[in-house]
């Protein structure tokens, strides 16, 4: 990609009402555009990061036998009435609108109801179970507070996975498998060391739910962390009984601020009951399907990563999710020509700053602000010694390579 073709520009100014560091950096570097409080557009660079985050999640979920689908955001009132969640008193974040043809629809805050109804068309026998289905879908929530940039927005990307099992035992097995997979996902996303499985409030079918909380100063949650065991308790269920239940030692628990990046929940028969999702077991007996739901917020995750892995010069993306791997700067005519060739060879890996009017210092500052993992400087002078300079954004380490050595990194 050539920088001259990217329509976004970096800027020093940010909206006055933007308080979180991640939002300021993402706006300054041209990753997101703020439409209004709690509502953002993902610009070309931001879209690439979000896509990369979703791709990691997709790969890991496919590896445990889940299938991706895509559902509509428009919600049928009757389906939500069946589980008593249409009322604004019960679900206080609804966005609803009237149809010109008559009637009302809602904008999905989550998808338990429609997916449960959908599965009635495909699940009728024990042979049809288990089913694990997920999507990446825009959710709408009329959030009261939206001050944390893309970490809490009124329209956001959610990965929501739903499990449909024959019984509790089958459910529990997948639940644990999914918890392990979440660990893998957060490791690959570069926040594994600071992300902890956290016991939070459950429901009628389990004492606790499991949240995945990333330690983060601007996070909205409080957790009590046992670092040695790598587990935490959410403030909402923090009491002597829970501590005892979990076999933890109160004196070892650290109070920390954290952001919820994902959660998993045993739904049991909550939705299969309301929407009558049943199957015939081996003995021909009619049984209710046992369900679970498993969320991750890719757009919130992007904000959390931006918040945690940035420094005074800008963003610092882990390699696997960066929009490009190399930020190329050519100094001199021969060097520019080589940059053009390299960019043509690897347009998905390279962002070449080919802007004519920009000074080298400006280009270096942008490379830092955008958080591209490696800044590559090719100059006529160093080319004479057949060396090009590779600077690691995270460590600041500089490596000198021959052109041939660099080319082998691009295949
Ligand atoms: P929170 O407690 O932060 O309000 P939640 O418990 O309501 O979130 P879920 O309904 O389980 O969250 O949603 C699954 C995931 O979606 C969350 O773990 C989070 O990563 C993400 N998420 C939830 N609400 C938002 C939001 N308003 N903006 C961005 N991401 C969100
Ligand atoms: Mg929550």
């Amino acid at each position: 990609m050539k920088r001259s073709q990217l329509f976004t520009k970096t800027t020093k100014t940010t909206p006055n009402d933007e308080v979180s560091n991640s939002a300021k950096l993402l706006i300054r570097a041209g990753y997101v555009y703020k439409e209004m409080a709690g509502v953002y557009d993902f610009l070309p660079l931001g879209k690439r990061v979000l896509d990369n985050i979703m791709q990691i999640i997709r790969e890991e979920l496919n590896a445990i036998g889940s299938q991706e689908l895509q559902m509509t955001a428009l919600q049928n009132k009757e389906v939500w009435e069946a589980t008593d969640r249409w009322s604004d008193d019960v679900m206080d974040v609804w966005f609803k609108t009237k149809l010109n043809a008559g009637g009302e629809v809602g904008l999905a805050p989550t998808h338990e109801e429609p997916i449960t109804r959908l599965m009635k068309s495909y699940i009728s026998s024990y042979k049809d179970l288990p089913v694990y289905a997920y999507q990446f879908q825009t959710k709408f929530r009329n959030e009261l507070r939206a001050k944390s940039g893309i970490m809490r927005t009124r329209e956001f990307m959610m990965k929501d996975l739903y499990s449909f099992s024959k019984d509790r035992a089958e459910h529990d097995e997948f639940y644990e498998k999914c918890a392990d997979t979440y660990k893998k996902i957060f490791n690959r996303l570069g926040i594994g060391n600071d992300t902890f499985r956290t016991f939070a409030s459950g429901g009628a079918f389990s004492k606790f739910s499991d949240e995945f909380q990333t330690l983060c100063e601007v996070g909205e949650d409080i957790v009590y962390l046992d670092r040695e065991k790598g587990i935490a308790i959410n403030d909402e269920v923090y009491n002597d009984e829970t501590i005892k239940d979990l076999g933890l030692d109160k004196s070892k628990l650290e109070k920390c601020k954290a952001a919820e990046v994902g959660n998993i929940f045993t739904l049991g028969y909550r939705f299969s009951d309301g929407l009558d999702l049943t199957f015939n077991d081996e003995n021909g007996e009619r049984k209710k399907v046992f369900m679970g739901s498993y969320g991750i917020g890719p757009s919130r995750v992007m904000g959390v990563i931006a918040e945690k892995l940035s420094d005074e010069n800008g963003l610092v993306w882990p390699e696997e999710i960066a929009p490009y791997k190399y930020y190329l700067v050519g100094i001199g005519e021969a060097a520019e020509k080589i940059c053009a060739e390299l960019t043509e060879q690897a347009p998905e890996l390279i962002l070449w700053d080919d802007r004519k009017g920009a000074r080298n210092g400006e280009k270096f500052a942008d490379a830092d602000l955008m958080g591209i993992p490696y800044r590559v400087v090719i100059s006529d002078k160093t080319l004479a010694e057949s060396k090009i300079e590779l600077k690691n954004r995270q460590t600041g380490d500089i490596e000198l390579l021959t052109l041939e050595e660099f080319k082998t990194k691009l295949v």
Side-chain angles (χ1 to χ4, degrees):
M1 180 69 182
K2 289 183 195 165
R3 183 66 199 273
S4 62
Q5 284 175 346
L6 199 62
F7 72 77
T8 55
K9 290 177 180 154
T10 57
T11 151
K12 290 200 165 61
T13 57
T14 50
N16 297 332
D17 57 342
E18 205 60 87
V19 287
S20 78
N21 196 37
S22 58
K24 287 181 190 163
L25 289 174
L26 290 167
I27 290 170
R28 283 187 50 211
Y31 282 77
V32 303
Y33 177 85
K34 184 172 194 170
E35 293 271 355
M36 53 184 134
V39 182
Y40 294 82
D41 301 311
F42 286 75
L43 300 168
L45 292 174
K47 170 90 166 70
R48 287 177 74 92
V49 172
L50 190 61
D51 283 346
N52 289 341
I53 291 172
M54 296 195 296
Q55 185 54 26
I56 288 174
I57 299 171
R58 177 180 286 123
E59 284 169 16
E60 296 297 337
L61 293 182
N62 289 350
I64 54 169
S66 346
Q67 302 172 62
E68 186 171 358
L69 82 166
Q70 172 97 50
M71 299 177 73
T72 173
L74 296 179
Q75 299 301 300
N76 180 315
K77 179 178 170 182
E78 285 70 37
V79 178
W80 289 78
E81 278 175 343
T83 56
D84 196 27
R85 290 213 295 175
W86 178 257
S87 160
D88 294 322
D89 300 331
V90 179
M91 183 78 99
D92 59 2
V93 292
W94 270 117
F95 280 108
K96 291 174 184 170
T97 188
K98 290 204 166 54
L99 287 175
N100 281 342
E104 254 185 312
V105 289
L107 297 178
T110 176
H111 276 82
E112 280 83 4
E113 277 79 354
I115 199 164
T116 305
R117 186 182 62 163
L118 179 155
M119 286 300 167
K120 281 159 69 79
S121 295
Y122 307 103
I123 295 171
S124 59
S125 148
Y126 68 94
K127 292 179 198 148
D128 301 323
L129 294 169
V131 174
Y132 308 119
Y134 73 98
Q135 62 175 343
F136 291 98
Q137 230 270 5
T138 318
K139 305 290 190 242
F140 297 88
R141 290 186 186 177
N142 201 339
E143 302 271 7
L144 205 53
R145 294 166 300 139
K147 286 190 203 138
S148 313
I150 61 168
M151 290 184 276
R152 182 174 297 282
T153 53
R154 300 197 163 100
E155 176 185 346
F156 62 95
M157 182 58 76
M158 195 198 285
K159 181 285 296 173
D160 41 331
L161 163 70
Y162 303 91
S163 66
F164 301 86
S165 305
K166 287 189 274 298
D167 52 31
R168 172 116 220 178
E170 191 172 69
H171 166 82
D172 287 348
E173 196 184 318
F174 182 76
Y175 188 99
E176 282 309 314
K177 204 192 258 185
C178 196
D180 290 343
T181 294
Y182 271 28
K183 268 278 164 205
K184 276 190 212 161
I185 289 170
F186 295 121
N187 281 336
R188 285 182 68 185
L189 292 172
I191 50 174
N193 287 341
D194 278 342
T195 302
F196 298 94
R197 188 167 173 174
T198 302
F199 293 85
S201 57
F205 293 89
S206 64
K207 188 154 192 191
F208 300 112
S209 66
D210 285 281
E211 293 177 341
F212 287 77
Q213 294 275 1
T214 308
L215 303 186
C216 182
E217 270 314 302
V218 298
E220 295 177 5
D221 291 5
I222 301 281
V223 303
Y224 294 84
L225 169 67
D226 183 325
R227 249 179 223 277
E228 241 168 71
K229 295 202 166 130
I231 54 175
I233 303 176
N234 190 308
D235 195 33
E236 63 189 19
V237 295
Y238 179 73
N239 53 46
D240 289 338
E241 193 196 313
T242 305
I243 297 169
K244 202 169 137 234
D245 257 13
L246 300 171
L248 298 174
D249 177 350
K250 192 169 186 171
S251 67
K252 284 192 181 158
L253 297 177
E254 264 174 74
K255 184 178 180 181
C256 311
K257 281 186 161 181
E260 180 196 314
V261 286
N263 68 20
I264 59 183
F265 214 91
T266 295
L267 301 173
Y269 304 121
R270 165 77 178 88
F271 297 93
S272 51
D273 228 355
L275 288 154
D276 195 30
L277 176 64
T278 57
F279 68 101
N280 278 335
D281 74 3
E282 288 89 334
N283 308 315
E285 229 177 282
R286 208 83 196 133
K287 290 216 166 118
K288 279 179 277 188
V289 174
F290 198 98
M291 291 173 53
S293 74
Y294 313 74
I296 294 181
S299 49
R300 178 179 291 177
V301 166
M302 179 172 159
V304 169
I305 295 170
E307 193 72 41
K308 290 186 64 80
L309 305 182
S310 52
D311 63 19
E312 64 282 6
N313 296 322
L315 298 159
V316 184
W317 297 114
E319 266 185 53
E320 238 195 312
I321 65 168
Y324 296 93
K325 191 167 172 188
Y326 302 105
Y327 195 100
L328 235 62
V329 177
I331 305 172
E333 224 170 282
E336 290 272 320
K337 202 165 155 257
I338 289 170
C339 286
E341 284 164 16
L342 292 169
T343 306
E344 206 161 297
Q345 188 188 327
E348 292 298 315
L349 293 179
I350 291 174
L351 180 58
W352 169 33
D353 198 339
D354 62 333
R355 291 173 304 164
K356 291 285 175 254
R359 285 175 287 113
N360 293 329
E362 282 171 61
K363 294 182 178 179
F364 295 165
D366 272 9
D368 282 351
L369 178 61
M370 286 182 179
I372 310 296
Y374 298 94
R375 185 188 79 192
V376 182
V377 179
I378 305 181
S379 77
D380 286 357
K381 205 172 80 204
T382 51
L383 267 182
E385 302 152 27
S386 63
K387 292 283 186 217
I388 65 177
E389 184 192 284
L390 207 73
K391 185 175 179 204
N392 184 311
R393 173 69 180 88
Q394 198 197 341
T395 62
D397 292 345
I398 290 182
E399 203 185 336
L400 291 175
L401 298 175
T402 66
L403 186 56
E404 290 315 311
E405 281 168 335
F406 181 58
K407 276 187 184 164
T408 62
K409 290 180 181 285
L410 300 179
V411 289

